[in-house]
Amino acid sequence: MHSVSLTSPGTLTGLGHVATVLTDCGRCTEGGLWMSVRLKPATHKIVSADTFRLTGLRMLAGRGITPEDDWAAPRVAVVSRSLAGREFQDGEPIGRRIYTGDGDAEGSTVVGIVDDQLPAGLGGSLQPRYAVYVSVLQHPPRTVDLLVRDSLDLEVLAKTLEVLGDGSAAHYTVDSELQMRAAAVAPVRWFGRRF
């Protein structure tokens, strides 16, 4: 498999865990006050090196997450266009720090800016437009979504997952990307029909 992405649940449909981020803004004002840092809600998404390419999210500046951004490397983050433009001095976050509240007192260095992703599932309109992306190798989640864009027999994929899961309480389902997106918007369509 050559076109594979690991993400935290919801990332592929534009959803994710919402928490605050602390940005090293520089010389910014808010409400007429000078503030060198800003505390804002953002959707947190954990991604692998191929996620932006496979989901079609354009890199606007800097670089994306790479395989070298692992546990031993300095922590890095990629921010969305809206977060970069509004919460960093002159819309230039690259090289500045962002704190995601994951117990890392040093924070992460912003290495790239990616286009905003529109959410597709129920509750997506309630999520903040701001998003921060961190490496799956630096922030390993308990559960992941695996996106495979290679043409692959589903039986082969299921057997591969069984071997990788080693039988230890690993649970997985195999769906197409179309089925996953349909499941994400099904509640919205249900509410729409009831209205």
Side-chain angles (χ1 to χ4, degrees), residues 24-25 84-85 88-96 113:
D24 172 18
C25 182
F88 290 92
Q89 181 180 344
D90 300 326
E92 297 179 10
I94 296 176
R96 293 197 174 274
I113 304 170

Side-chain angles (χ1 to χ4, degrees), residues 8-153:
S8 54
T11 298
L12 298 175
T13 54
L15 304 173
H17 172 72
V18 176
T20 56
V21 293
L22 184 68
T23 65
D24 172 18
C25 182
R27 286 186 48 96
C28 298
T29 61
E30 188 164 342
L33 299 173
W34 288 102
M35 304 185 79
S36 61
V37 295
R38 290 190 178 185
L39 185 65
K40 298 292 177 176
T43 305
H44 295 230
K45 302 175 183 190
I46 301 172
V47 299
S48 63
D50 277 347
T51 301
F52 298 131
R53 180 177 63 84
L54 295 180
T55 58
L57 281 174
R58 282 185 318 131
M59 288 301 304
L60 303 175
R63 68 170 178 89
I65 302 297
T66 68
E68 288 74 31
D69 297 323
D70 62 12
W71 190 259
R75 297 222 174 173
V76 296
V78 173
V79 298
S80 64
R81 174 198 304 236
S82 56
L83 179 60
R86 293 188 187 103
E87 306 304 332
F88 290 92
Q89 181 180 344
D90 300 326
E92 297 179 10
I94 296 176
R96 293 197 174 274
R97 307 296 290 170
I98 189 166
Y99 302 86
T100 59
D102 62 1
D104 181 18
E106 297 295 316
S108 300
T109 302
V110 177
V111 294
I113 304 170
V114 71
D115 217 352
D116 289 331
Q117 180 184 23
L118 297 175
L122 181 65
S125 62
L126 301 174
Q127 292 207 314
R129 187 172 178 100
Y130 296 162
V132 60
Y133 299 84
V134 295
S135 171
V136 70
L137 299 175
Q138 293 179 342
H139 305 267
R142 290 177 171 258
T143 306
V144 294
D145 287 340
L146 171 67
L147 174 64
V148 179
R149 285 281 169 88
D150 294 319
S151 56
L152 187 66
D153 183 357

